[in-house]
Amino acid sequence: MYSFAEENYLKAIYKLQEHSDLAVNTNSIATSIQTKAASVTDMIKKLSDKKLLKYEKYKGVELTNLGKKIAIETVRKHRLWETFLHDKLKFAWDEVHDIAEQLEHIKSSELIDKLDEYLGFPTHDPHGDPIPGRNGVIIQSNFVLLSELKVGESGVISGVVNHSSVFLKHLEKNGLTLGKKVQVKEIGEFDQLVQLLLSTKESILVSNEVVKNILVKIQYS
Amino acid sequence: MYSFAEENYLKAIYKLQEHSDLAVNTNSIATSIQTKAASVTDMIKKLSDKKLLKYEKYKGVELTNLGKKIAIETVRKHRLWETFLHDKLKFAWDEVHDIAEQLEHIKSSELIDKLDEYLGFPTHDPHGDPIPGRNGVIIQSNFVLLSELKVGESGVISGVVNHSSVFLKHLEKNGLTLGKKVQVKEIGEFDQLVQLLLSTKESILVSNEVVKNILVKIQYS
DNA sequence: AATAATTTTTAGATTAGCCTAAAATTATTT
DNA sequence: AAATAATTTTAGGCTAATCTAAAAATTATT
């Protein structure tokens, strides 16, 4: 059984090494977990002793298979709880993260499997992130940044890069929620503002910063 | 915000003082929380500093209104989560306690209110224990021990005194679950074995130890 | 009322997780 | 390649929650 802190470290390291197979360095862990480098060094020594990661002084860390397993289980719990909070308890998508950060540490594999079943074995959480299966397999969706679309192209909003509450609220206010179809109408040459056509025929103008943080599934028509 | 340990102490003290208005002594807390008396002394000093209880050396403790409030909130959370686990996730009534012990410490009043609503504002948990309301009010039901019934009298099973898994499993096996109507048919003069008539017309024989741990709502016919 | 038994508290340690400040190592400039 | 900058580790401390063993206080017994 692992502590809350241990699970948080494993999850943070997992996310840092996810999109690059280099060793994860101390400072980046410290930043991502909002703590000090000295604390990170303490903890990675402990995790190394427990065979959850490989650690070489001054050379960063890499999760072992065991460490990766625990990290993925924690991500699975987090995303299932987020789905529960959103789908069943009707929390807004910007409200689910903080509560799920607590719920993800509840110890009971039976609980999480029953929750999974109760939710109908969802594949993605309220932000479009994939939910790892019981077996730890994560189905990678081939989503693309909305900023990659050219004028005239369409896509269905399927995820977000930025998970901050302020960004999610902004999307909500503009009707840019998961499942919505958008078409790029025009991209401002001077300021890169993007005009989007929604399926409601409504047309909205959003900044480049917004489209760079939205993931879409391309629609070929 | 209170720690898990603090909430557990408050809950334990609350339950010990619930059915007697004497001060709660150190040893009984230690026993109920499965720790040592020295640890209890340490903790009650801290809780006393935080105005959660009144403590006089060698004379036991009494919760303040604030302490009682936190304790009741924790009980409310525990019982709502038990209800969720049983009603929605279909856990057996002997399986819900341990998981709820963890879930009761999740910090979010919005969460617990939404859960309450989602469950349809239940008044009792899967063991028949009353669920405190948002306001902290606990509706006391006037249940009676099944062992108090005389031959010929009937009642509806509404709660249990013993919450142990082995006892609950035993009841389940005998069809003695919440809501079931039972009539006392005969009480053995020699060994006090009780013959119960179920509404299925089935007749079962149970020990005195069993009827002493079942609460019923008397049925006047 | 004195002694014995029990309960409670204190004293002193331990572990997990975090911190600051200083030292050690590695990376980057000039 | 030496000097400077940045990163990482170590050393030493802190707090929360626990423990054991010993001392103090209370309660029960003779």
Side-chain angles (χ1 to χ4, degrees):
Chain A
M1 218 52 57
Y2 303 98
S3 70
F4 283 28
E6 287 171 336
E7 288 179 354
N8 284 336
Y9 271 90
L10 293 173
K11 201 176 66 159
I13 297 165
Y14 173 74
K15 288 191 173 179
L16 289 168
Q17 76 169 27
E18 203 176 7
H19 301 296
S20 87
D21 34 37
L22 299 151
V24 176
N25 52 322
T26 304
N27 254 353
S28 59
I29 299 171
T31 306
S32 99
I33 226 163
Q34 304 218 67
T35 184
K36 297 298 151 78
S39 309
V40 174
T41 304
D42 279 356
M43 180 58 99
I44 61 188
K45 276 182 192 162
K46 201 178 353 158
L47 296 175
S48 174
D49 290 346
K50 294 192 181 182
K51 311 281 182 211
L52 291 162
L53 46 78
K54 273 217 299 259
Y55 168 52
E56 264 189 282
K57 265 193 201 174
Y58 295 101
K59 296 193 174 164
V61 300
E62 258 175 289
L63 293 181
T64 61
N65 284 336
L66 176 57
K68 211 172 292 175
K69 180 167 166 267
I70 308 300
I72 290 172
E73 274 171 18
T74 308
V75 169
R76 169 171 157 81
K77 289 182 187 180
H78 182 97
R79 293 181 181 166
L80 281 172
W81 280 117
E82 282 196 341
T83 305
F84 168 72
L85 294 171
H86 183 259
D87 291 6
K88 302 294 184 182
L89 299 195
K90 308 301 176 193
F91 275 95
W93 68 342
D94 63 292
E95 297 173 325
V96 299
H97 179 80
D98 292 351
I99 303 178
E101 282 289 299
Q102 301 179 60
L103 287 164
E104 72 188 8
H105 301 298
I106 303 292
K107 267 77 183 170
S108 166
S109 50
E110 210 186 342
L111 169 62
I112 213 65
D113 289 339
K114 289 206 181 211
L115 183 66
D116 193 15
E117 186 184 354
Y118 183 63
L119 298 172
F121 304 107
T123 57
H124 293 80
D125 75 12
H127 312 113
D129 295 314
I131 299 173
R134 247 178 80 96
N135 49 14
V137 172
I138 301 169
I139 295 155
Q140 292 300 350
S141 349
N142 52 341
F143 300 150
V144 133
L145 289 180
L146 179 49
S147 56
E148 297 296 311
L149 296 204
K150 299 192 177 53
V151 169
E153 293 184 321
S154 299
V156 173
I157 298 180
S158 305
V160 291
V161 178
N162 181 333
H163 284 63
S164 74
S165 181
V166 57
F167 178 62
L168 296 176
K169 277 203 174 92
H170 179 69
L171 291 189
E172 185 98 46
K173 201 162 55 191
N174 283 278
L176 299 170
T177 51
L178 287 205
K180 291 287 169 64
K181 192 177 162 184
V182 292
Q183 185 179 23
V184 176
K185 267 316 208 189
E186 200 184 325
I187 302 177
E189 237 178 286
F190 169 63
D191 54 13
Q192 252 72 293
L193 288 197
V194 179
Q195 197 174 3
L196 295 173
L197 179 66
L198 309 185
S199 42
T200 58
K201 310 284 179 225
E202 201 189 339
S203 188
I204 61 170
L205 205 57
V206 296
S207 71
N208 186 250
E209 201 54 32
V210 164
V211 292
K212 275 196 318 202
N213 280 291
I214 293 177
L215 289 161
V216 295
K217 195 164 147 194
I218 296 183
Q219 294 275 293
Y220 303 99
S221 46
Chain B
M1 218 53 57
Y2 303 98
S3 70
F4 284 27
E6 286 170 336
E7 288 179 353
N8 284 335
Y9 271 89
L10 293 173
K11 201 178 63 158
I13 296 165
Y14 173 74
K15 289 192 172 177
L16 288 168
Q17 76 170 26
E18 204 177 9
H19 302 295
S20 88
D21 34 37
L22 298 152
V24 176
N25 53 323
T26 305
N27 254 351
S28 58
I29 299 172
T31 306
S32 101
I33 226 164
Q34 304 219 68
T35 183
K36 297 297 150 78
S39 309
V40 173
T41 304
D42 281 356
M43 181 57 99
I44 62 187
K45 276 182 191 160
K46 203 181 346 160
L47 296 175
S48 174
D49 291 347
K50 293 192 180 181
K51 311 282 183 211
L52 292 162
L53 46 78
K54 272 218 300 258
Y55 168 51
E56 263 189 281
K57 265 194 200 172
Y58 294 102
K59 296 193 174 162
V61 300
E62 259 176 288
L63 294 182
T64 60
N65 284 337
L66 176 57
K68 212 172 291 175
K69 180 167 167 269
I70 309 301
I72 290 172
E73 275 171 16
T74 309
V75 169
R76 170 171 156 81
K77 289 182 188 179
H78 182 97
R79 293 183 181 164
L80 281 172
W81 279 117
E82 281 197 341
T83 305
F84 169 71
L85 295 171
H86 183 259
D87 291 7
K88 302 295 186 184
L89 299 195
K90 307 301 176 192
F91 275 95
W93 69 342
D94 62 292
E95 297 174 325
V96 298
H97 179 80
D98 292 352
I99 303 177
E101 282 289 300
Q102 300 179 61
L103 287 164
E104 71 188 8
H105 301 296
I106 303 293
K107 266 80 184 169
S108 167
S109 50
E110 211 187 342
L111 169 63
I112 212 65
D113 289 340
K114 289 208 180 207
L115 183 66
D116 193 14
E117 185 184 354
Y118 183 63
L119 298 171
F121 304 107
T123 57
H124 294 81
D125 75 12
H127 310 113
D129 295 314
I131 298 173
R134 247 180 82 97
N135 49 13
V137 172
I138 301 170
I139 294 155
Q140 291 299 350
S141 351
N142 53 340
F143 300 150
V144 133
L145 289 179
L146 180 49
S147 56
E148 298 295 313
L149 296 204
K150 298 190 178 55
V151 170
E153 294 183 322
S154 298
V156 173
I157 298 180
S158 304
V160 290
V161 178
N162 181 332
H163 284 63
S164 76
S165 182
V166 56
F167 178 61
L168 296 176
K169 276 203 173 94
H170 179 68
L171 291 189
E172 184 98 47
K173 202 163 55 193
N174 283 278
L176 298 171
T177 50
L178 287 206
K180 291 287 169 64
K181 192 178 162 185
V182 292
Q183 185 179 23
V184 177
K185 268 314 211 192
E186 201 185 326
I187 303 176
E189 238 179 281
F190 169 64
D191 53 11
Q192 254 72 289
L193 289 197
V194 179
Q195 198 174 2
L196 295 172
L197 180 65
L198 309 184
S199 43
T200 59
K201 309 286 182 223
E202 200 189 340
S203 186
I204 60 169
L205 205 57
V206 296
S207 72
N208 185 250
E209 201 53 33
V210 165
V211 292
K212 276 196 317 201
N213 280 292
I214 293 177
L215 289 161
V216 295
K217 196 163 146 195
I218 296 183
Q219 294 275 292
Y220 303 99
S221 46

